[in-house]
Amino acid sequence: MRVIDPHMHMVSRSSDDYERARRAGIDCCIEPAFWSGTDKQHAGSFFDYFEHLIDFETERADRAAGMDHYVTIALEPKEANYPEMAETVMERLPEYLDRENVVGVGEIGLDRGTEEEEYAFRKQLRMAEERELPVIVHTPHENKPEGTERLVEMIQEEDVTEERIIIDHNTEDTIDTSLRTDCWLGFTLYPGKIEDETAIDLLEEYGTDKMILNSAADWDPSDPLAVPKARDKMLDRGWDREEVRKVVFDNPYAFFDQSPNFDYER
């Protein structure tokens, strides 16, 4: 069963991981711009990073594993707290959002919930709305339920198209808040945050409509094969194959197919 993983931070992985992921059934991945372990000190660092994602990682995915690779571009919430640098980055974001394999805006969201983070979140939401692009929203690591409430408030205040937004990094404590919207819901399978068994339990309880599983696959202990492993666990638990396919392929395909630049052949 083929898989689309909409959250693989492959800049932090080796080419071997692309090969392993492809053998496990991942045909296509979407790599969001994310906080890479230390705060960037210069706006130019973002532009180098965006170029690396758009050009080098896309070429490497194809060369290493014949995998389709797309990216989303954004100013991540942690680094929104450097206002002068953040403004410079956001001024130039539109030129990156127009690149051919950029399929959305993300990750945006909240980290500590500062005014600067909220300003950057709203500004990038509006950029996505103007271009009719999908958006990946990252709920905060700390005070997650309150942070998710605030994100939903801002999404509704900005009156943007909720069907083009995925609220990601959901847990048992945020799912009811996210479900009050017309947004999609993501579960990032990550040790110590949400395990695949817990995510599958939530899918059994809440259903699979607009639900998406993805991996973290970043610098910390994480697994680029998290989604195929969850797929296999769902099958082992007796899930219908079509329902499993919906979560790991059809739903992410439908979400990103809203982007004019997503031309993956299903």
Side-chain angles (χ1 to χ4, degrees), residues 145 148-150 152 167 170 173-181:
T148 305
E149 289 272 2
R150 183 64 185 139
V152 167
I167 300 174
N170 277 285
D173 297 330
T174 65
I175 187 168
D176 290 318
T177 300
S178 297
L179 281 170
R180 294 207 312 265
T181 71

Side-chain angles (χ1 to χ4, degrees), residues 95-110:
E95 69 190 72
Y96 292 97
L97 297 178
D98 292 338
R99 298 279 283 275
E100 67 176 296
N101 60 329
V102 177
V103 294
V105 174
E107 298 175 306
I108 62 173
L110 292 176

Side-chain angles (χ1 to χ4, degrees), residues 18-242:
Y18 278 117
E19 293 175 23
R20 290 168 57 229
R22 183 64 194 273
R23 285 200 300 271
I26 299 174
D27 267 4
C28 174
C29 69
I30 293 91
E31 179 163 7
F34 78 123
W35 182 69
S36 51
T38 56
D39 291 352
K40 298 177 187 68
Q41 303 299 311
H42 311 283
S45 301
F46 284 89
F47 307 136
D48 288 341
Y49 172 53
F50 296 159
E51 293 288 351
H52 182 97
L53 288 182
I54 292 167
D55 289 336
F56 177 77
E57 285 303 327
T58 298
E59 186 273 331
R60 184 166 74 121
D62 182 51
R63 171 169 43 84
M67 188 187 294
D68 279 36
H69 177 279
Y70 297 92
V71 300
T72 65
I73 294 295
L75 172 75
E76 199 269 344
K78 259 181 178 292
E79 290 157 319
N81 291 300
Y82 303 90
E84 191 175 326
M85 181 176 74
E87 198 61 48
T88 304
V89 173
M90 287 190 288
E91 279 172 14
R92 283 193 58 192
L93 274 182
E95 69 190 72
Y96 292 97
L97 297 178
D98 292 338
R99 298 279 283 275
E100 67 176 296
N101 60 329
V102 177
V103 294
V105 174
E107 298 175 306
I108 62 173
L110 292 176
D111 179 51
R112 290 182 285 132
T114 63
E115 285 182 25
E116 290 82 5
E117 290 170 20
E118 292 197 0
Y119 168 76
F121 179 73
R122 291 176 186 272
K123 184 163 183 163
Q124 292 178 98
L125 268 186
R126 292 193 294 270
M127 278 185 206
E129 186 72 7
E130 287 163 14
R131 290 162 180 77
E132 299 186 351
L133 287 173
V135 180
I136 300 175
V137 173
H138 192 315
T139 57
H141 296 299
E142 306 292 331
N143 301 317
K144 192 178 278 282
E146 298 84 351
T148 305
E149 289 272 2
R150 183 64 185 139
L151 287 166
V152 167
E153 267 178 32
M154 289 190 286
I155 287 167
Q156 293 174 338
E157 286 168 4
E158 293 297 329
D159 195 28
V160 291
T161 307
E162 295 180 7
E163 292 85 356
R164 282 200 300 268
I165 296 170
I166 182 165
I167 300 174
D168 206 351
H169 296 265
N170 277 285
T171 65
E172 309 96 305
D173 297 330
T174 65
I175 187 168
D176 290 318
T177 300
S178 297
L179 281 170
R180 294 207 312 265
T181 71
D182 289 322
C183 300
W184 296 65
L185 272 70
F187 299 94
T188 300
L189 308 175
Y190 202 88
K193 293 181 183 170
I194 187 165
E195 305 290 341
D196 52 10
E197 296 283 0
T198 306
I200 296 166
D201 289 344
L202 291 172
L203 293 175
E204 286 178 351
E205 182 177 352
Y206 288 91
T208 58
D209 287 350
K210 288 189 167 180
M211 301 288 194
I212 292 175
L213 296 179
N214 50 57
S215 68
D218 61 18
W219 306 99
D220 287 324
S222 54
D223 188 359
L225 306 186
V227 179
K229 288 176 180 176
R231 168 202 64 195
D232 295 345
K233 285 188 180 181
M234 292 170 80
L235 293 170
D236 290 345
R237 281 167 67 156
W239 277 63
D240 176 77
R241 288 185 68 83
E242 288 307 308

